[in-house]
Amino acid sequence: MSDVYNPQEVEAKWQTKWQESGLYRQTVDKSKPKHYALTMLPYPSGDLHIGHWYAMTPSDARARFMRMKGYNVLFPMGFDAFGLPAENAAIKRNIHPKKWTFANIERMRGQLRSMGAMFDWEREAVSADPSYYKWTQWFFKKLLEYDLAYRKLSAVDFCPNCNTTLAREQVWGDDRHCERCGTPVIKKDLEQWFFKTTDYAEELLDFSTIDWPERVKVMQTNWIGRSTGANVTFHTEQGDPIEIFTTRPDTLWGATFMVLAPEHPLVDKITAVAQADAVLTYREAAKRLTDIDRETADREKTGVFTGAYAINPVNNARIPIWIADYVLMTYGSGAIMAVPAHDERDFAFATKFGLEIVEVIRQPGRSDEDGPLTEAFVSKTEGTMINSGAFDGTPASEGVATVTAWLEAQGMGEKAVNYRLRDWLISRQRYWGAPIPIVYCPEHGAVPVPDDQLPIMLPDDVEFMPTGESPLRFHEGFLHTTCPECGKPALRETDTMDTFMCSSWYQYRYLSPHDDEHPFDPEEGAYWLPVDQYTGGIEHATMHLIYTRFFTMAMRKMGLVDHSEPMLALYNQGMVLGEDGEKMSKSRGNVVAPDTLVAQYGADTVRTYLMFFAKWDQGGPWNYDGIKGPQRLVQDVWEMAQLAYMPKQVTDEANRALRRKTHQTIRKVTADFENFSFNTAIAAIMELRNAMQAARRSSDVAADVWAEAVDSLLLLLAPVAPHVTEELWAQRGHGYSVHQHSWPMWDEEVAKEESITLVVQINGKVRDRIDVPAGMSDEELKALALASERVVEWLNGRSPHKVIVVKGRLVNIVG
């Protein structure tokens, strides 16, 4: 035994012991309730940063807590190993992505082990391993089989100089230039694969069966963007139909022009010769803008008149057709009716280009004498319909339903629901991803690769172009194959899948990562699924967390699972900032390296600080001085647990006081762990430490009371600081392991306070504090407060106006 805790020695010892004994290997055990705990898997960038530790160690502590509570806990780990950074490394460092990725994984495995987490490493899954992406490819085929995958032309970012498509991360600056050569990026249409996430738009809006943060639910709801309204068909003067979706059919009579997306297929047909050059120039400029840029509300509106006209179906008005980049082909039909009097964007557009503005909803209190509108009136519930034929005088609150019914009766339109959610584009013109299992046959078209030919392996002998073009396009052995239908020459699909495809189902692969017959073992799935608790960053709210929900819903359709949601509960952690309060980055010089911290303080101290320094869902700035408090806690626990405690003058009062604090702490820490309030749990443990130190100095508690406090302290701290507690538990003669021991229980009678401090206020200001027995009635507390010398002096014989008792701990006397 040593007075000074040596974390390097103790942590290495127990990490080896845990691995050798298989302590964290979890199997199906139907005698226990199951708890599938999952934290988002990392990308193997080469080093674990402090953000990984901040996400993973509290998740690990919560999983350990649930295990001690009697659950059979599964807590696996893996790597989301495909992605663009590996290809960039291949080009910049002349190293193969596979070699770079798997070397990083090996390094990060060691770093993950150093944190002492209870990961079940026998269940590790790596998305770039062929045994994993075989099933990613199999799922692609299943989605195709169930009519949830399709191929169509779609725009991508393209560098004309490098002659390659670019990922979003490779398009830089407000001028949207190529990161490699600086050339302005354009949009280019390519045949690409999509998944039908929109088929599940309505179900994705239902959060009734999952316990997810309200902020995530709001973000997903907004992302999906459900709108109710009507589909209405306009026609060009030549008779070409233009279908639009509007949430305001009651304003149809105010539609004074139409706007098409620059990419709309009708633009080429309807554009007048005199307008052709202007339209072409505008369309080329629009190609260089992102959808986000185009939709920005405060951006100045631009557009070009096509020279063509449409007929408004409700009043036969002849209205001009424009193109403008604020209308997108990816939302609705790519065409809108413009009602400038009642839409802010349309008002700004009409005002700029001198287009007619017709008021069709009269604002309360407004009259014709008030002159032209100076801004759009957009209320759906206030006002009255005007300039709308037979509907004049209809209250605006009734207008949408009334007009929609009329449109349906006239055959001009129908009630409709629209979503902002778009189908998931999964094609990537990159090498380092799961190959799409499709071949193209001149006779049979797109043909899925048979199951017995999966996985379609990525070839290792590829040459990376400095332009970033995928080497799969030029690899003869990969590209050329035969058609599964007829055996004739065919070409492989050279696109690979979006890496979010791999991470949409990884929780299933953890169940049986070495199974070559199934994506996951059905027996394991029947026991462990769905995930009970998921943890990770809120930045994934509208991508990964939507995709994985869609994926599970699709798997239900395939009959692979009987549940609809992948994760029943979700908790989002915050972010660790640099000491300067800024986001950590190498350029700012504020990066905190966990390896250095572990070498200096030990993993347990780092874990404890990360769970103590801030509310876990909020995060905050790193503070090197702040880690000293958790370091002292670990050292104090080390000393107290090894102490040969010898009582001297035992008193019943001291015994009751320490037992009370012990049981209160158990109650507090239990509730805090349930609620992910790790910082207050550790604060409570520190308070118990302080009470124990005081008892040790006075030596006035019995040996069994001291032993109960020490053992309880170790059990409470075990999920947070697993190494030091394991060592001390063993030193105290208990069986292996502290992490297999039951979570301590508290006794309410023991935890109950014997006395409380009653705060006495007069008109809201504290005037006295009185120690009183716990459990007194409100009337008794009032009487004690009114009998206080300071209160008697202040009242000076007067009767108080009111006496308020708050939660039995405070009395406020209102004079």
Side-chain angles (χ1 to χ4, degrees):
M1 297 184 187
S2 170
D3 291 339
V4 179
Y5 175 54
N6 183 336
Q8 287 73 26
E9 179 182 323
V10 170
E11 290 172 3
K13 168 187 171 180
W14 288 108
Q15 287 168 17
T16 300
K17 172 77 171 178
W18 295 336
Q19 183 176 352
E20 291 176 349
S21 66
L23 181 64
Y24 303 129
R25 179 73 179 110
Q26 296 306 122
T27 57
V28 171
D29 182 355
K30 295 182 180 179
S31 69
K32 293 182 179 180
K34 67 92 177 179
H35 182 80
Y36 188 172
L38 185 66
T39 191
M40 293 180 185
L41 78 176
Y43 177 78
S45 56
D47 278 297
L48 283 185
H49 53 70
I50 203 67
H52 288 121
W53 275 69
Y54 189 60
M56 293 177 185
T57 52
S59 300
D60 173 64
R62 182 57 154 55
R64 289 177 177 278
F65 165 73
M66 295 301 290
R67 181 176 182 174
M68 294 175 74
K69 289 276 286 182
Y71 288 86
N72 187 26
V73 177
L74 177 63
F75 189 52
M77 180 49 62
F79 296 92
D80 189 13
F82 278 134
L84 188 61
E87 284 199 51
N88 287 339
I91 295 167
K92 295 175 182 178
R93 305 172 193 172
N94 194 30
I95 183 173
H96 195 284
K98 181 177 180 180
K99 182 178 180 180
W100 183 84
T101 298
F102 281 89
N104 288 348
I105 287 173
E106 186 61 30
R107 172 168 171 73
M108 290 175 72
R109 275 196 197 108
Q111 293 176 311
L112 285 165
R113 290 181 189 278
S114 77
M115 68 171 61
M118 58 172 281
F119 299 131
D120 183 351
W121 284 104
E122 291 189 33
R123 294 181 182 270
E124 180 193 69
V126 179
S127 65
D129 191 294
S131 66
Y132 186 102
Y133 68 75
K134 166 186 175 176
W135 295 106
T136 301
Q137 294 170 343
W138 183 85
F139 273 119
F140 175 94
K141 289 184 56 189
K142 297 296 285 186
L143 289 162
L144 189 61
E145 176 187 339
Y146 281 84
D147 194 31
L148 292 172
Y150 65 94
R151 191 171 182 246
K152 72 168 186 177
L153 273 175
S154 182
V156 297
D157 288 319
F158 187 85
C159 175
N161 182 57
C162 295
N163 191 35
T164 188
T165 57
L166 301 176
R168 283 169 294 182
E169 301 91 336
Q170 296 173 300
V171 181
W172 285 13
D174 293 337
D175 62 345
R176 289 180 44 77
H177 62 269
C178 173
E179 68 160 329
R180 293 196 179 97
C181 68
T183 302
V185 171
I186 64 171
K187 293 284 187 180
K188 185 175 182 178
D189 286 336
L190 291 178
E191 289 279 356
Q192 300 189 85
W193 287 96
F194 291 80
F195 292 154
K196 293 183 181 178
T197 47
T198 52
D199 277 15
Y200 293 90
E202 198 64 36
E203 189 172 1
L204 288 166
L205 287 168
D206 181 6
F207 304 98
S208 62
T209 61
I210 54 178
D211 180 15
W212 283 28
E214 191 62 29
R215 188 177 167 199
V216 173
K217 292 189 284 188
V218 169
M219 291 171 72
Q220 291 200 356
T221 299
N222 292 340
W223 187 265
I224 295 165
R226 187 182 194 274
S227 301
T228 58
N231 288 328
V232 182
T233 303
F234 287 64
H235 288 84
T236 66
E237 287 186 307
Q238 291 72 35
D240 299 295
I242 306 176
E243 186 176 274
I244 61 98
F245 169 80
T246 176
T247 61
R248 298 296 305 274
D250 57 324
T251 64
L252 269 161
W253 287 262
T256 58
F257 61 99
M258 297 196 76
V259 183
L260 305 183
E263 305 87 356
H264 198 290
L266 200 56
V267 173
D268 287 328
K269 183 176 181 181
I270 66 173
T271 298
V273 173
Q275 294 297 110
D277 288 345
V279 167
L280 177 62
T281 300
Y282 188 84
R283 295 176 85 184
E284 289 299 318
K287 287 182 179 179
R288 301 201 53 244
L289 299 173
T290 66
D291 288 357
I292 294 174
D293 291 335
R294 289 168 60 169
E295 289 187 290
T296 302
D298 57 358
R299 181 172 166 266
E300 184 180 0
K301 300 298 177 283
T302 62
V304 173
F305 177 43
T306 64
Y309 290 84
I311 304 302
N312 187 328
V314 299
N315 58 10
N316 292 318
R318 183 174 182 259
I319 59 177
I321 303 174
W322 287 64
I323 62 170
D325 57 24
Y326 73 86
V327 180
L328 305 176
M329 274 305 298
T330 49
Y331 179 64
S333 64
I336 66 165
M337 68 172 197
V339 185
H342 305 291
D343 182 274
E344 292 172 348
R345 291 188 309 175
D346 297 345
F347 185 88
F349 193 93
T351 302
K352 178 175 180 178
F353 293 106
L355 298 169
E356 186 179 11
I357 299 174
V358 175
E359 182 182 7
V360 293
I361 305 292
R362 175 54 54 88
Q363 184 175 359
R366 175 175 160 77
S367 67
D368 292 339
E369 287 72 30
D370 292 329
L373 288 169
T374 57
E375 61 180 9
F377 175 60
V378 298
S379 173
K380 288 185 178 182
T381 57
E382 298 179 356
T384 306
M385 292 179 68
I386 62 171
N387 298 321
S388 301
F391 293 95
D392 283 359
T394 302
S397 58
E398 302 173 10
V400 171
T402 304
V403 172
T404 300
W406 178 79
L407 289 169
E408 291 183 329
Q410 300 298 313
M412 295 179 184
E414 61 183 1
K415 186 176 181 179
V417 176
N418 200 24
Y419 303 92
R420 294 191 62 81
L421 180 70
R422 301 159 194 173
D423 282 341
W424 178 8
L425 168 59
I426 63 104
S427 292
R428 295 293 181 269
Q429 293 74 43
R430 317 242 57 90
Y431 164 79
W432 192 236
I436 295 175
I438 294 290
V439 299
Y440 298 102
C441 172
E443 182 177 346
H444 295 99
V447 181
V449 174
D451 287 356
D452 61 7
Q453 294 182 25
L454 299 181
I456 304 302
M457 298 277 288
L458 285 170
D460 290 334
D461 57 334
V462 291
E463 295 184 16
F464 288 90
M465 310 291 179
T467 60
E469 289 178 273
S470 171
L472 295 178
R473 295 174 55 194
F474 309 102
H475 191 284
E476 293 293 321
F478 180 85
L479 184 62
H480 295 284
T481 186
T482 56
C483 173
E485 295 282 346
C486 63
K488 295 179 182 178
L491 297 177
R492 286 198 192 282
E493 171 66 77
T494 57
D495 284 356
T496 54
M497 287 183 247
D498 180 8
T499 56
F500 280 116
M501 171 71 171
C502 304
S503 59
S504 291
W505 73 278
Y506 76 103
Q507 67 270 26
Y508 297 100
R509 192 58 178 168
Y510 281 148
L511 303 184
S512 52
H514 310 295
D515 190 339
D516 197 44
E517 300 299 321
H518 311 89
F520 61 92
D521 185 309
E523 183 180 346
E524 293 266 343
Y527 178 74
W528 290 111
L529 296 173
V531 172
D532 294 285
Q533 182 64 62
Y534 199 30
T535 56
I538 199 168
E539 66 273 15
H540 298 291
T542 56
M543 296 186 78
H544 163 62
L545 289 172
I546 284 183
Y547 295 148
T548 193
R549 293 182 69 208
F550 156 75
F551 216 90
T552 292
M553 292 169 188
M555 288 172 66
R556 180 196 61 204
K557 181 177 182 179
M558 299 169 193
L560 296 173
V561 297
D562 60 4
H563 55 274
S564 301
E565 293 286 355
M567 296 95 180
L568 298 181
L570 171 70
Y571 198 92
N572 298 126
Q573 82 276 355
M575 180 182 293
V576 184
L577 304 174
E579 280 200 297
D580 55 3
E582 300 291 336
K583 186 175 180 179
M584 290 188 190
S585 70
K586 292 180 180 178
S587 61
R588 289 194 180 102
N590 62 354
V591 173
V592 175
D595 287 3
T596 303
L597 293 170
V598 171
Q600 183 176 356
Y601 299 104
D604 282 350
T605 294
V606 177
R607 289 170 61 106
T608 306
Y609 176 66
L610 286 171
M611 284 181 253
F612 176 64
F613 88 105
K615 291 185 67 175
W616 194 42
D617 62 340
Q618 294 180 7
W622 180 267
N623 184 336
Y624 281 102
D625 288 334
I627 202 171
K628 294 174 183 176
Q631 183 184 30
R632 281 195 300 273
L633 174 64
V634 171
Q635 178 62 36
D636 289 343
V637 171
W638 177 259
E639 292 174 4
M640 287 192 299
Q642 293 186 108
L643 177 71
Y645 176 74
M646 299 293 291
K648 294 179 182 177
Q649 295 178 330
V650 175
T651 68
D652 289 343
E653 182 181 357
N655 281 339
R656 289 197 305 272
L658 184 56
R659 291 203 73 212
R660 181 167 54 250
K661 189 63 177 178
T662 299
H663 284 251
Q664 288 176 345
T665 304
I666 295 170
R667 182 177 61 191
K668 169 66 173 168
V669 173
T670 302
D672 285 346
F673 264 91
E674 293 283 2
N675 297 318
F676 296 89
S677 299
F678 304 113
N679 60 325
T680 52
I682 294 171
I685 291 171
M686 289 178 170
E687 288 183 16
L688 177 59
R689 178 268 317 266
N690 295 342
M692 291 172 66
Q693 286 179 324
R696 181 181 63 179
R697 287 191 294 271
S698 58
S699 300
D700 56 359
V701 298
D704 61 329
V705 173
W706 176 259
E708 179 191 30
V710 172
D711 286 348
S712 297
L713 179 66
L714 293 179
L715 290 168
L716 295 175
L717 193 58
V720 178
H723 306 89
V724 66
T725 52
E726 185 79 280
E727 174 68 21
L728 292 170
W729 191 255
Q731 287 186 16
R732 290 177 61 78
H734 298 307
Y736 179 72
S737 151
V738 68
H739 306 297
Q740 292 178 310
H741 196 279
S742 297
W743 186 253
M745 301 293 291
W746 72 92
D747 184 321
E748 282 291 352
E749 283 300 313
V750 176
K752 189 164 58 177
E753 290 283 0
E754 292 183 357
S755 65
I756 63 168
T757 299
L758 180 68
V759 177
V760 181
Q761 293 181 339
I762 300 176
N763 292 333
K765 293 185 178 180
V766 177
R767 298 298 184 183
D768 203 356
R769 287 183 171 86
I770 310 170
D771 288 333
V772 301
M776 294 187 74
S777 69
D778 287 357
E779 290 303 318
E780 290 172 320
L781 294 175
K782 284 183 185 179
L784 283 172
L786 291 171
S788 162
E789 289 185 15
R790 293 185 183 181
V791 172
V792 170
E793 181 182 347
W794 184 84
L795 287 174
N796 194 24
R798 291 178 289 113
S799 296
H801 177 66
K802 187 185 294 185
V803 180
I804 303 167
V805 179
V806 181
K807 295 182 179 179
R809 289 184 172 272
L810 180 148
V811 175
N812 185 24
I813 300 168
V814 181

